[in-house]
Amino acid sequence: MDSLNVAIVGASGLVGRTMLKVLEERNFPIKKLRLFGSNRSKGSVIHFKNENYSVETLEDDSFDGIDIALFSAGSDVSKIYAPKAAKAGAIAIDNSSCWRRDPNVPLVVPEVNKEAAFEHKGIIANPNCNVIPLVVAFKPLDENYVIKRVIVSTYQSISGAGNKGLTKLEDEINGIKNNDKHPIFSNAIFHPHEAGTDQTNEEIKLEFETRKIMGNENLKVAATCVRLPFFACHAEAAYLELEKSFEIEDIKHLLNSSQGIVINDDLANDDYPTPQNVAGFDQVFIGRIRRDTTVQNGLALWIVSDNIRKGAATNAVQIAELFIK
């Protein structure tokens, strides 16, 4: 196994620190590690594998000699520096939304379309944290029964907004007011509105990215995305219309035997996945597998995944692992 020179951009953020944790857990072969962050975090020390690393700020030559650059510093940073990383010879794996709609940039979930990663031109996009667990669940169903339509409602942790979101919830719990129009504590709120549409940006991401990863631009997808006041994991209620008839037990067996999925479905014993019992895991957990009787060949799923791990950091590291010789 070859060792690689790795850079993490946004290393001091919530996802960046989780990337480091996942790299260590999976024993990713690192020869040289460089950590980059904002001016605010410059000089801060991060511990990794019994060594201390100082956070640097980005320069034009920061990626010289780097093989893999993991980005989790937002679209503005990725737009400028991912091309610089690619030009220097690195593979930039970007966790922001910056490159996901670019037709020349592959959008990759290794359990679903890992072959797309090798079509990169220096940049690979990591999908939205809601989309990753959905397509992991959808892939085996589409291969065996063909998905015609999907309706999804999401129940998302405020951690999807990063450290800023977590601080917002903690402050509101403690009675500290902010200037936000909508509090998150004891509330349900939406993501920002997408200008020129009647949808939020999260809903548009979910619909577009699902089609792109599944390789079907005509797939019918409708989404409603909601943020809720808990600290970890996203949950999703998905209603699928399939082309072929099915038996529920066959669906359970198929999903249970598919990569990256854990079935947790025993309502008789009050057993189903929740954000609390899924936090910290990399798999996609599925429960409440049942028929949707409102359409022919309708299937309902309850899907829960750790949005910071599989929904962001772990998926990015799994992409990087594809390039270990």
Side-chain angles (χ1 to χ4, degrees):
M1 181 179 291
D2 290 349
S3 295
L4 301 176
N5 295 329
V6 176
I8 298 181
V9 181
S12 59
L14 182 60
V15 173
R17 287 183 178 273
T18 307
M19 284 176 172
L20 284 165
K21 185 177 181 180
V22 172
L23 287 167
E24 184 166 7
E25 289 172 353
R26 298 174 74 91
N27 198 29
F28 190 94
I30 297 176
K31 182 178 181 181
K32 178 182 178 181
L33 177 66
R34 296 186 70 184
L35 305 182
F36 297 98
S38 64
N39 288 327
R40 187 177 64 254
S41 59
K42 180 181 179 180
S44 60
V45 175
I46 295 177
H47 191 72
F48 176 76
K49 280 192 173 182
N50 300 318
E51 292 189 38
N52 290 324
Y53 293 84
S54 181
V55 176
E56 310 170 58
T57 53
L58 286 167
E59 306 292 343
D60 288 344
D61 62 352
S62 291
F63 300 100
D64 289 353
I66 294 297
D67 300 305
I68 299 288
L70 300 174
F71 280 77
S72 187
S75 291
D76 291 343
V77 172
S78 293
K79 185 176 182 179
I80 296 171
Y81 285 98
K84 293 180 184 294
K87 186 176 181 179
I91 299 172
I93 302 171
D94 180 37
N95 193 57
S96 80
S97 61
C98 180
W99 302 99
R100 294 174 187 163
R101 298 190 197 184
D102 190 319
N104 296 312
V105 175
L107 187 63
V108 177
V109 178
E111 295 92 336
V112 180
N113 65 336
K114 67 180 180 181
E115 66 284 346
F118 300 101
E119 299 171 4
H120 74 86
K121 296 179 176 62
I123 302 174
I124 300 172
N126 205 37
N128 181 271
C129 51
N130 266 328
V131 174
I132 291 171
L134 284 180
V135 296
V136 169
F138 290 173
K139 178 66 172 179
L141 296 171
D142 191 54
E143 287 182 336
N144 288 271
Y145 297 97
V146 186
I147 299 172
K148 293 175 61 177
R149 184 185 69 157
V150 179
I151 298 175
V152 181
S153 294
T154 72
Y155 309 82
Q156 299 181 221
S157 159
I158 194 60
S159 62
N163 282 322
K164 181 180 178 181
L166 294 175
T167 300
K168 172 182 169 69
L169 177 54
E170 289 171 350
D171 285 349
E172 291 176 4
I173 289 172
N174 293 320
I176 302 173
K177 295 182 179 180
N178 54 55
N179 295 321
D180 295 345
K181 183 175 182 179
H182 299 295
I184 183 65
F185 177 57
S186 192
N187 204 8
I189 64 176
F190 293 107
H191 298 74
H193 172 251
E194 181 89 356
T197 76
D198 57 0
Q199 293 180 285
T200 67
N201 54 25
E202 191 83 350
E203 291 158 355
I204 289 176
K205 290 174 189 176
L206 189 152
E207 295 171 8
F208 174 86
E209 294 177 29
T210 298
R211 296 186 187 102
K212 183 173 180 178
I213 297 166
M214 297 294 290
N216 182 0
E217 63 181 21
N218 296 315
L219 181 63
K220 296 178 180 179
V221 184
T224 300
C225 298
V226 185
R227 275 184 170 151
L228 295 174
F230 51 90
F231 289 101
C233 298
H234 291 348
E236 299 165 292
Y239 294 84
L240 293 77
E241 182 181 358
L242 307 177
E243 285 193 3
K244 300 178 182 179
S245 61
F246 61 86
E247 298 297 330
I248 289 295
E249 289 305 314
D250 292 337
I251 295 290
K252 291 182 178 181
H253 177 74
L254 172 65
L255 292 173
N256 201 40
S257 60
S258 298
Q259 184 182 3
I261 294 174
V262 174
I263 298 300
N264 187 3
D265 186 11
D266 186 2
L267 285 181
N269 291 304
D270 204 28
D271 193 17
Y272 49 85
T274 70
Q276 282 196 359
N277 60 33
V278 166
F281 290 92
D282 289 326
Q283 299 94 333
V284 174
F285 290 74
I286 303 177
R288 302 216 62 211
I289 302 169
R290 62 201 191 280
R291 289 188 182 275
D292 171 8
T293 58
T294 65
V295 294
Q296 187 175 12
N297 302 326
L299 176 67
L301 305 173
W302 174 248
I303 303 168
V304 186
S305 179
D306 189 319
N307 59 299
I308 302 300
R309 290 186 64 98
K310 181 53 182 170
T314 301
N315 197 76
V317 173
Q318 287 177 302
I319 294 171
E321 289 174 339
L322 296 175
F323 297 94
I324 299 172
K325 294 180 182 180

